[in-house]
Amino acid sequence: MPQMKVMYIKEHTLVAPDIRRMVLDDSIYARPGQFVQISVSPTLDPFLRRPLSVHDDGEGGLVLLYRASGRGTRLLAEKKPGDSVDILGPLGNGFPVTDAPAAILVAGGIGVAPLCYLARTLCEAGKQVIFLFGAQKADQLYIPKAITPFLTVLETATDDGSAGHHGPVTEVLEQFLQKGAVPVYGCGPEGMLRAMVRVAAQYYAQTYVSLEARMACGVGACLGCVVETFQNSGEAYQRVCVDGPVFSGEEVFR
Amino acid sequence: MNPDLTVNIGRLTMQNPVMPASGCFGYGEEYAPFFDLSRLGAIVVKGTTAEPCSGNHPVRLAETPAGLLNAIGLQNPGVKAAREKIRELAHCGVPVIVNVAGHSAEDYLRVIDFLEEEEEAAAYEVNISCPNVSAGGMAFGTEPCVVESLVGNLRRSTKKTLIVKLSPNVTDITEIARAAESAGADAVSLINTLLGMAIDTATRRPVLANITGGLSGPAIKPVALRMVWQVSSAVKIPVIGMGGITGARDALEFLLAGASAVAIGAANFTNPMVCPETVDGIADYLSENGFESVSRIVGLAKESLRPVTGGVCGCGKK
Ligand SMILES: Cc1cc2nc3c(=O)[nH]c(=O)nc-3n(C[C@H](O)[C@H](O)[C@H](O)COP(=O)(O)OP(=O)(O)OC[C@H]3O[C@@H](n4cnc5c(N)ncnc54)[C@H](O)[C@@H]3O)c2cc1C
Ligand SMILES: Cc1cc2nc3c(=O)[nH]c(=O)nc-3n(C[C@H](O)[C@H](O)[C@H](O)COP(=O)(O)O)c2cc1C
Ligand code: FES
């Protein structure tokens, strides 16, 4: 059940260029892949809340990882430890956990945010976690040190070759799928997710993608955030905020 | 003593003057985790059409200064499936007002015929003002003679409270309001969204797939308030005011301007508790200022003035 909660910022640090990590003083009991709607300003402008993924949650409090890109996230970036933020959540369906003994997680840029929490959860459930992280260049490959013990494999890729594999992260994905088809979870730019679903389909691997959409309510009431999905019954619009943000790959990419 | 918040609109009695606006509250279930829905005066559900409607392509939303553009395009499951949701919602004990939409007069009639025997549908709000559908919608709401004939038709088909929702995208909203009144509407509600658009300078394309959308939120409040003031002077039937209300202060402005009740739309998205908070805020204001009932303040801002019958011209003079 989502709640509206005022929380206090315990830590707020710049961890990579434009990327901040915000630790809050309370938990919302979220599952990996769920998100929150955070109010960036107490005034009427900017008007809407901003959707941000749960980067971690639990006894240490709710953690968010975000890139300050536009006006709203830049206002958020100005907040200091001790300041309060108004959070609506947890929202959305979250990533499904399958019976498979291993999983491949594919992160593109800031899409790494929800996958860290998933990695921890899968590892704690006794599964092998293969974590593939692609970004434009090396300085955007932020991965919290606390996460690395949960990863069986961590491979990186950059568009400019400044770290890891030189080229798209989906090329690394292919190498791992050749060794065995396990469920693939992705979050990142749409182009990357499409390529990921296409590659995984060649190996008959199940895919789960976390999508972004412009949102107003975040709770399923306004029908503003829809994505076109392809199902047995034909095409239909589904709400990213409640029917997603996680969809199976073949449901949204054709 | 607690002030009396009761409001009567046609045959409908509401325990207080606050309701969520159509399209901004789903079928209620989405907001049930946040507060007890029985605290509302009424609940207005999403625009309902005779057949299911898939709505517009995304992108459907664009944030604008202190506001929001939407082009949902009346996505709804059709009146048959909506009936189940309405029955479910009615369990919370407050009247459910069904927002009725269509592309032709027959469409509206089909929705009303289908729901007429349903006790759970307490009233109809006829949406003659949606800016996001190409045929019908707003086209009905901009011509007084068309409004009169449509509303007249609907009036003859229903015994329930008939509210006509007006578009602000017209030259003279009072003309449309009078047409609805003379055709037998029990009330008018206003305003629906203002037609607008936004362009993404990075892609150099309109943000909304539909190109244009309807503007709501705090940005439209002064326009909405002015129209409520004018319409409540032009008609004798009750006015339900809306447009940019984010709390009790805003709601009180609409009541003082002449609205008998208010609806809250986009503000639910930022504050899911805005409706019950507004109910409490209105009650507090009435007690603090010694009013025994909410009806005592309806239109009170006009009392000290000479009656305003005409509009305000472009230069701001009466
Ligand atoms: C479910 C979900 C989870 C997300 N998780 C994260 C995360 O963990 N970390 C992170 O950095 N970003 C995340 N995003 C993207 C984040 O919501 C946007 O970067 C943010 O809304 C931009 O706001 P702004 O005011 O800075 O930008 P502006 O461009 O000024 O925003 C204008 C409007 O567009 C919306 N908008 C702009 N870009 C996006 C976008 N990419 N997705 C959705 N709405 C957008 C804004 O919410 C706002 O309503 C997520 C998005 C979704 C839908
Ligand atoms: C996302 C969204 C969907 C809406 N859908 C409808 C609708 O189906 N029927 C209708 O009559 N009005 C609809 N409206 C208009 C609102 O009911 C209301 O008239 C308008 O938004 C102004 O109020 P506000 O500023 O408080 O939002 C919608 C508004 C929004 C923001
Ligand atoms: S954001 Fe309102 S339905 Fe998804």
Side-chain angles (χ1 to χ4, degrees):
Chain A
M1 282 285 200
Q3 296 175 46
M4 194 165 56
K5 250 186 183 176
V6 175
M7 300 190 192
Y8 291 87
I9 301 175
K10 281 201 299 195
E11 287 169 44
H12 198 191
T13 33
L14 188 71
V15 293
D18 290 332
I19 298 179
R20 280 177 174 76
R21 184 168 179 271
M22 181 184 278
V23 184
L24 298 164
D25 70 340
D26 204 356
S27 156
I28 56 165
Y29 306 100
R31 293 189 303 274
Q34 289 191 298
F35 67 101
V36 299
Q37 282 267 67
I38 185 166
S39 168
V40 291
S41 158
T43 66
L44 298 174
D45 187 52
F47 184 56
L48 296 174
R49 291 168 180 265
R50 298 298 188 258
L52 293 179
S53 303
V54 172
H55 178 53
D56 201 5
D57 196 20
E59 281 176 12
L62 172 67
V63 186
L64 306 173
L65 184 78
Y66 67 96
R67 191 209 310 274
S69 51
R71 183 155 165 250
T73 46
R74 281 203 295 266
L75 279 170
L76 195 61
E78 287 170 14
K79 294 198 185 280
K80 307 259 175 313
D83 288 353
S84 65
V85 285
D86 180 336
I87 299 265
L88 194 65
L91 304 170
N93 57 359
F95 292 111
V97 175
T98 69
D99 295 336
I104 303 178
L105 279 51
V106 184
I110 194 65
V112 71
L115 293 178
C116 292
Y117 189 25
L118 177 66
R120 175 160 83 83
T121 308
L122 290 176
C123 175
E124 286 169 356
K127 298 173 197 295
Q128 294 200 327
V129 179
I130 300 159
F131 203 99
L132 313 180
F133 189 2
Q136 281 168 332
K137 44 188 187 181
D139 66 2
Q140 287 162 11
L141 287 170
Y142 166 75
I143 189 131
K145 284 202 186 64
I147 284 292
T148 46
F150 301 116
L151 311 180
T152 317
V153 175
L154 171 62
E155 293 280 345
T156 56
T158 49
D159 296 344
D160 68 355
S162 52
H165 174 75
H166 186 178
V169 66
T170 43
E171 290 175 1
V172 187
L173 170 64
E174 183 140 24
Q175 293 164 21
F176 280 92
L177 285 171
Q178 280 163 358
K179 296 178 200 162
V182 295
V184 183
Y185 297 85
C187 184
E190 192 182 314
M192 183 206 85
L193 294 177
R194 270 182 197 281
M196 183 195 105
V197 171
R198 199 170 50 236
V199 170
Q202 289 164 12
Y203 296 88
Y204 303 101
Q206 178 64 36
T207 51
Y208 301 102
V209 294
S210 179
L211 300 185
E212 287 187 351
R214 284 163 186 263
M215 292 182 178
C217 69
V219 298
C222 73
L223 308 179
C225 64
V226 298
V227 59
E228 193 168 15
T229 57
F230 310 94
Q231 294 164 320
N232 305 336
S233 51
E235 296 161 18
Y237 288 126
Q238 292 206 57
R239 297 161 297 182
V240 172
C241 67
V242 287
D243 305 316
V246 180
F247 294 90
S248 75
E250 68 270 24
E251 213 182 337
V252 285
F253 297 130
R254 277 275 151 103
Chain B
M1 206 188 74
N2 289 335
D4 177 10
L5 295 181
T6 328
V7 174
N8 292 305
I9 307 270
R11 310 169 123 204
L12 192 68
T13 300
M14 308 195 308
Q15 61 179 348
N16 67 59
V18 179
M19 62 191 100
S22 176
C24 302
F25 208 70
Y27 288 91
E29 57 200 348
E30 291 82 359
Y31 286 98
F34 299 101
F35 68 94
D36 181 356
L37 300 184
S38 70
R39 300 215 43 218
L40 297 165
I43 297 176
V44 190
V45 299
K46 177 74 188 165
T48 304
T49 51
E51 299 296 330
C53 178
S54 60
N56 290 329
H57 282 294
V59 173
R60 291 181 173 182
L61 297 171
E63 191 190 48
T64 55
L68 166 69
L69 285 166
N70 89 82
I72 310 298
L74 288 179
Q75 179 181 338
N76 80 98
V79 67
K80 227 174 173 169
R83 177 175 65 180
E84 301 310 314
K85 297 196 173 245
I86 291 161
R87 284 178 173 166
E88 197 57 39
L89 178 56
H91 288 310
C92 76
V94 304
V96 176
I97 302 177
V98 182
N99 185 271
V100 183
H103 301 278
S104 64
E106 289 76 47
D107 286 353
Y108 289 89
L109 282 167
R110 279 175 64 200
V111 176
I112 285 187
D113 283 346
F114 195 86
L115 294 173
E116 194 56 22
E117 300 307 319
E118 290 291 318
E119 251 178 67
E120 287 87 351
Y124 304 116
E125 179 182 55
V126 186
N127 178 4
I128 56 165
S129 52
C130 183
N132 296 326
V133 284
S134 41
M138 203 166 73
F140 285 110
T142 53
E143 283 294 331
C145 57
V146 181
V147 171
E148 195 158 345
S149 107
L150 176 71
V151 175
N153 259 322
L154 300 178
R155 178 73 289 169
R156 283 185 287 278
S157 311
T158 181
K159 293 190 188 64
K160 292 184 181 172
T161 300
L162 192 62
I163 303 162
V164 177
K165 184 156 177 183
L166 307 180
S167 169
N169 305 304
V170 293
T171 318
D172 181 0
I173 195 168
T174 60
E175 244 189 336
I176 313 288
R178 277 195 220 98
E181 178 180 46
S182 67
D186 295 302
V188 287
S189 59
L190 61 144
I191 60 175
N192 207 317
T193 54
L194 283 154
L195 207 50
M197 73 179 291
I199 292 177
D200 183 335
T201 54
T203 61
R204 292 181 279 279
R205 295 169 61 93
V207 177
L208 299 172
N210 191 53
I211 302 174
T212 59
L215 183 63
S216 60
I220 71 170
K221 197 191 91 181
V223 177
L225 193 63
R226 180 268 292 179
M227 288 186 162
V228 165
W229 177 283
Q230 289 176 325
V231 167
S232 59
S233 300
V235 298
K236 293 192 181 64
I237 52 178
V239 171
I240 302 171
M242 73 192 90
I245 297 176
T246 61
R249 289 283 135 187
D250 296 332
L252 286 161
E253 282 192 65
F254 279 84
L255 297 169
L256 292 166
S260 300
V262 294
I264 304 180
N268 291 288
F269 308 153
T270 52
N271 177 11
M273 296 286 291
V274 65
C275 289
E277 285 174 8
T278 302
V279 175
D280 292 342
I282 292 172
D284 289 348
Y285 177 88
L286 296 175
S287 312
E288 280 159 24
N289 293 279
F291 295 104
E292 70 274 20
S293 72
V294 69
S295 57
R296 292 278 295 108
I297 67 164
V298 171
L300 203 59
K302 285 174 180 158
E303 262 181 24
S304 55
L305 306 170
R306 271 180 291 152
V308 180
T309 45
V312 178
C313 83
C315 60
K317 289 184 191 146
K318 292 219 183 93

